[in-house]
């Protein structure tokens, strides 16, 4: 489970309801390491246990080899890919350079939306068997999403003009 405090360039969105092993949903601005480019807005899922990402009632051996996911915001559905990192899972529907990212359209919907549901198709023979609900208005997501968007739009250190 995620232990550290949120960084300035991220927003932690606590699920209001879930049947998944997700403790926190983090909207983060990730900067490229070496190459030039803008940052990427990412939706990171931190788990309540050591994983894998799954519905709470499911066993690891029941999981599909190619799970699917979607993000629904106020009825608009955005298909996303599920990507796995060392300590979290990530949802993305775009890329910024080599970094997986959320599309500007999806981030805009998050900033202006009321209700967001992350839906997962993880277990064999059970379509869309997992979900994470987030009340975006109650979580105060609008200003937080705007701050993360601003971070991602800023030039990376490699791109920033040098002071003389």
């Amino acid at each position: 489970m995620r232990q550290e405090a949120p960084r300035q360039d991220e927003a932690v969105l606590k699920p209001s309801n879930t049947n998944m092993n997700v403790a926190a949903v983090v909207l983060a601005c990730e900067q490229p390491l070496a190459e030039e480019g803008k940052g990427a807005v990412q939706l990171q899922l931190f788990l309540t246990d050591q994983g894998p990402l799954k519905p709470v009632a499911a066993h690891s051996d029941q999981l599909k080899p190619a799970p699917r996911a979607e993000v629904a915001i106020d009825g608009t559905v955005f298909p996303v890919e599920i990507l796995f990192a060392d300590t979290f899972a990530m949802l993305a529907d775009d890329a910024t350079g080599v970094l997986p990212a959320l599309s500007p359209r999806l981030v805009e919907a998050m900033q202006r939306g009321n209700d967001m549901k992350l839906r997962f198709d993880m277990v064999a023979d059970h379509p869309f068997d997992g979900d994470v609900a987030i009340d975006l208005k109650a979580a105060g997501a609008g200003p937080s999403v705007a701050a993360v968007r601003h971070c991602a739009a800023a030039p990376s250190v490699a791109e920033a003009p040098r002071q003389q």
Side-chain angles (χ1 to χ4, degrees):
M1 184 174 153
R2 182 182 172 90
Q3 298 296 323
E4 67 271 11
R7 301 180 325 226
Q8 189 174 13
D9 57 353
E10 68 182 23
V12 178
L13 306 171
K14 293 284 186 187
S16 55
N17 191 15
T18 185
N19 68 344
M20 299 286 291
N21 61 336
V22 173
V25 176
V26 176
L27 187 68
C29 172
E30 294 296 331
Q31 296 294 333
L33 294 177
E35 73 273 356
E36 294 182 11
K38 303 231 183 291
V41 177
Q42 295 183 340
L43 194 60
Q44 303 169 349
L45 310 175
F46 289 85
L47 307 181
T48 58
D49 54 28
Q50 297 300 311
L53 174 68
K54 65 181 183 63
V56 174
H59 297 284
S60 297
D61 60 352
Q62 296 175 299
L63 298 178
K64 292 180 177 181
R68 298 181 304 141
E70 65 185 24
V71 176
I73 300 175
D74 299 336
T76 302
V77 176
F78 302 85
V80 294
E81 290 184 58
I82 306 171
L83 304 154
F84 299 95
D86 289 338
T87 59
F88 58 90
M90 183 183 335
L91 301 180
D93 67 338
D94 201 359
T96 301
V98 298
L99 295 174
L102 297 179
S103 65
R105 184 173 161 254
L106 176 49
V107 177
E108 175 76 21
M110 287 178 70
Q111 185 175 348
R112 299 192 186 286
N114 293 308
D115 297 302
M116 179 169 74
K117 185 174 276 194
L118 312 178
R119 297 183 61 218
F120 299 91
D121 183 8
M122 306 284 295
V123 178
D125 300 325
H126 294 90
F128 288 100
D129 41 39
D131 61 75
V132 177
I134 297 170
D135 182 338
L136 294 169
K137 290 298 182 197
S144 297
V145 172
V148 173
R149 286 178 81 182
H150 177 73
C151 169
S156 69
V157 173
E159 284 186 317
R162 293 188 181 171
Q163 301 235 345
Q164 298 190 19

